[in-house]
Amino acid sequence: MKLIIHGGFFSESDQSHEVKVAKQKSLKNIAQKAFEYLQSHSAFDTVAYAVSLLEDDPLYNAGIGSQIQSDGVIRMSAAIMNGETQKLSGVINIQNVKNPIFVAKDLITEDDRVLGGNGAKIYANENGFEDFSTEIPQRRKEYQEKLNNGGKGTVGCVAIDKDGKLAVATSTGGKGFEIPGRISDSATVAGNYANSFCAVSCTGVGEDIVSNATATKIVTRVTDGMTLENAFTKTFEELKAIDGFAGAIAIDKDGNIFHQDSYPTMVFASFDGENFEIFN
Ligand code: ASP
């Protein structure tokens, strides 16, 4: 049993030391809670739970604390993928729910598993998700100042459970100041992908992640026999060739954990019950 989580990026130039310490503390706490949960739940249930805790923390740009788009509205995207069944479900540009990842998770049992915009919201309401504003004053202030540097803060979790099953979940409030209708990578197979060999969650500029097909490439390379590390190296070389900005976390079927970013510094933590690794 192992898991790794991410909370987007940290930038020394845009963010204070206090924010860094707060994120380290929060990630440690969430990784520990999620690991405890993993003792008695599947990887699939655990990744959703871990991502919901990250969504609930306003330090990150997902759920509460999401970025505001250019028209002043928050639209969030989230997806989950079960490595065993290879089913992905997700919501794209959903408004006014507290935990987009739980709406995404509920969709796994439907025939239509990725819903967008208003349809996603109607589905959420019909399935017991109450209206909830995820806006925090800090994001409104950034929006009003037209600062597009709130710090990338998509969240994600990859886990392997006691049966060796893999799963991944990813949730985002987007880049901030997007043209309404813009689609993030987080609810696509470029940003969130898993099979029985490997599971990967990404953060960064969605357009770069989609262009590079980052999560899909890493998983496919591992499936075809490459080591996790080599799959990351090759995929990030290709990302560099397009000057892409991304970070990714992963676990393979043998329980190897890996993470890499194209620009410093991805905010991540991993935990296997004994060893705790955290970004610095
Ligand atoms: N990947 C997200 C997006 O482009 C942003 C992020 O990772 O913070 O919507």
Side-chain angles (χ1 to χ4, degrees):
M1 277 177 291
K2 289 181 183 177
L3 59 81
I4 180 164
I5 56 177
H6 72 71
F9 284 85
F10 177 78
S11 147
E12 302 280 355
S13 55
D14 297 335
Q15 291 166 292
S16 66
H17 182 70
E18 286 70 42
V19 169
K20 183 178 186 176
V21 173
K23 286 192 174 180
Q24 287 170 329
K25 237 179 105 180
S26 147
L27 285 181
K28 188 165 186 190
N29 182 28
I30 291 173
Q32 267 164 344
K33 270 194 181 159
F35 190 78
E36 258 173 60
Y37 191 87
L38 185 59
Q39 310 299 307
S40 52
H41 294 83
S42 66
F44 182 72
D45 286 340
T46 302
V47 293
Y49 173 66
V51 165
S52 77
L53 297 177
L54 291 157
E55 285 177 338
D56 289 347
D57 190 327
L59 274 175
Y60 310 104
N61 167 31
I64 297 170
S66 286
Q67 297 276 356
I68 299 172
Q69 299 197 329
S70 60
D71 60 349
V73 174
I74 291 175
R75 295 178 184 84
M76 301 167 289
S77 298
I80 186 163
M81 188 155 181
N82 186 329
E84 189 194 6
T85 61
Q86 282 199 54
K87 280 187 180 172
L88 177 145
S89 56
V91 288
I92 294 177
N93 289 333
I94 193 169
Q95 292 181 40
N96 247 18
V97 292
K98 182 163 167 277
N99 292 110
I101 196 64
F102 285 147
V103 186
K105 187 177 181 226
D106 275 11
L107 280 163
I108 203 82
T109 55
E110 304 286 351
D111 288 337
D112 303 333
R113 290 196 292 274
V114 182
L115 298 184
N118 202 29
K121 183 66 192 346
I122 292 168
Y123 177 87
N125 285 148
E126 283 175 0
N127 285 276
F129 292 87
E130 283 166 14
D131 283 358
F132 186 94
S133 169
T134 53
E135 183 177 319
I136 59 169
Q138 174 65 18
R139 294 287 180 270
R140 180 58 60 179
K141 199 168 150 251
E142 286 163 6
Y143 171 77
Q144 273 155 0
E145 291 166 0
K146 294 214 184 313
L147 289 175
N148 197 359
N149 65 356
K152 303 276 175 289
T154 291
V155 302
C157 178
V158 175
I160 184 163
D161 60 26
K162 55 180 178 321
D163 302 319
K165 307 263 160 67
L166 291 159
V168 58
T170 309
S171 179
T172 191
K175 295 190 296 187
F177 299 93
E178 300 93 332
I179 301 172
R182 181 252 181 191
I183 290 176
S184 155
D185 63 292
S186 301
T188 74
V189 295
N192 183 86
Y193 197 59
N195 65 13
S196 54
F197 291 84
C198 184
V200 179
S201 171
C202 298
T203 180
V205 174
E207 285 69 9
D208 296 348
I209 295 166
V210 168
S211 302
N212 178 249
T214 310
T216 319
K217 271 186 187 170
I218 294 171
V219 170
T220 304
R221 285 177 168 148
V222 170
T223 304
D224 290 347
M226 231 185 227
T227 65
L228 189 57
E229 188 171 346
N230 287 347
F232 263 83
T233 304
K234 187 151 204 288
T235 305
F236 274 77
E237 270 166 15
E238 290 163 353
L239 185 72
K240 205 171 161 204
I242 57 165
D243 194 28
F245 177 4
I249 57 171
I251 302 182
D252 69 15
K253 67 172 177 29
D254 301 319
N256 296 305
I257 295 188
F258 206 77
H259 62 87
Q260 190 168 334
D261 41 35
S262 60
Y263 290 91
T265 305
M266 184 174 53
V267 168
F268 78 92
S270 63
F271 192 49
D272 61 7
E274 278 172 23
N275 301 309
F276 195 82
E277 200 192 341
I278 189 149
F279 83 100
N280 198 358

